[in-house]
């Protein structure tokens, strides 16, 4: 902790960026998905309203349609997952000898389709709940307007201010007899 205020093991020197301006690692809106979308999907995504359940439903349906198409095309074929080339180091091997390791798998499209279908079902349920909640708010607002309208109809047009009334409360002791 020489010359510093904090221990390197417990907090380090950096407190992070002061602002996000010029941060090359900051995620730009749409950057996550846009590099994997076709130009038609990118054009459609550009018009989407962020944070809307309906728009997330559309995006999930695009992904489901893509998965269904991929399943139709590639059903049970092996897909290259990774390929690694490394130098071979054993006695008597030429100096530029390499070994290539290839890993291929059959993609589980039915599992992906099931997950996307479940996501769509969940989003549809959320959407229905939001619609019901919005409907209740609208119903409450309509009821309040009807009550206000009824009060105005029943109000006496000549009676703008309430008339003062005198109320006298007399308390008698019930234990004593009046003579």
């Amino acid at each position: 902790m020489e010359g510093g205020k904090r221990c390197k093991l417990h907090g380090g020197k950096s407190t992070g960026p002061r602002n996000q301006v010029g941060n090359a690692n900051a995620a730009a809106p749409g950057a996550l998905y846009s590099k994997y979308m076709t130009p038609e999907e990118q054009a459609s995504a550009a018009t989407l309203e962020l944070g809307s359940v309906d728009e997330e439903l559309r995006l999930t349906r695009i992904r489901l349609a893509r998965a269904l198409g991929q399943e139709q095309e590639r059903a049970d074929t092996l897909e290259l997952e990774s390929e690694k080339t490394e130098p071979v180091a054993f006695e008597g091997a030429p100096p530029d000898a390499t070994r290539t390791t290839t890993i291929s798998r059959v993609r589980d499209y039915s599992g992906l389709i099931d997950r996307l279908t479940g996501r769509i079902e969940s989003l549809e349920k959320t959407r229905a709940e939001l619609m019901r909640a919005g409907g209740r708010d609208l119903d409450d607002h309509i009821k309040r307007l009807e009550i206000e309208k009824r009060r105005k109809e029943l109000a006496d047009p000549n009676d703008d201010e309430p008339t003062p009334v005198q109320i006298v409360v007399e308390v008698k002791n019930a234990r004593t007899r009046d003579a």
Side-chain angles (χ1 to χ4, degrees):
M1 204 170 115
E2 288 179 32
K5 294 181 181 179
R6 282 184 273 168
C7 173
K8 285 184 181 178
L9 299 175
H10 301 95
K13 290 184 178 181
S14 174
T15 58
R18 298 287 181 234
N19 59 28
Q20 293 297 319
V21 177
N23 184 353
N25 297 322
L32 271 171
Y33 301 116
S34 62
K35 60 185 170 185
Y36 301 108
M37 291 182 169
T38 64
E40 296 84 30
E41 292 170 345
Q42 286 180 357
S44 174
T47 63
L48 298 180
E49 175 187 332
L50 296 177
S52 168
V53 174
D54 292 330
E55 303 308 331
E56 192 169 342
L57 264 167
R58 282 191 199 127
L59 179 63
T60 306
R61 286 184 177 131
I62 288 172
R63 292 182 64 210
L64 177 61
R66 185 186 296 168
L68 288 168
Q70 297 266 332
E71 181 187 41
Q72 191 73 19
E73 284 177 27
R74 302 178 186 165
D76 294 327
T77 60
L78 287 174
E79 294 181 30
L80 179 65
E81 185 170 296
S82 67
E83 187 173 72
K84 183 168 101 176
T85 304
E86 55 191 1
V88 177
F90 62 89
E91 194 173 313
D96 60 342
T98 59
R99 177 178 65 190
T100 302
T101 306
T102 303
I103 299 174
S104 298
R105 294 200 174 131
V106 175
R107 182 163 285 169
D108 181 20
Y109 285 107
S110 61
L112 175 62
I113 290 168
D114 288 344
R115 284 192 305 276
L116 290 171
T117 305
R119 178 73 178 142
I120 289 172
E121 181 182 358
S122 171
L123 289 168
E124 287 285 354
K125 182 179 177 185
T126 302
R127 184 178 184 274
E129 288 172 359
L130 289 171
M131 295 295 278
R132 275 196 304 272
R136 271 189 246 129
D137 291 344
L138 182 61
D139 289 343
D140 290 346
H141 183 68
I142 290 171
K143 285 178 184 175
R144 275 188 241 117
L145 288 174
E146 287 176 355
I147 289 170
E148 188 177 321
K149 180 181 174 186
R150 182 69 61 157
R151 281 187 184 150
K152 288 180 181 177
E153 289 173 356
L154 296 175
D156 185 7
N158 298 329
D159 192 18
D160 290 339
E161 293 182 22
T163 312
V165 177
Q166 181 179 6
I167 299 175
V168 177
V169 178
E170 186 177 330
V171 179
K172 291 187 178 183
N173 189 349
R175 294 183 188 162
T176 59
R177 293 185 183 219
D178 292 336

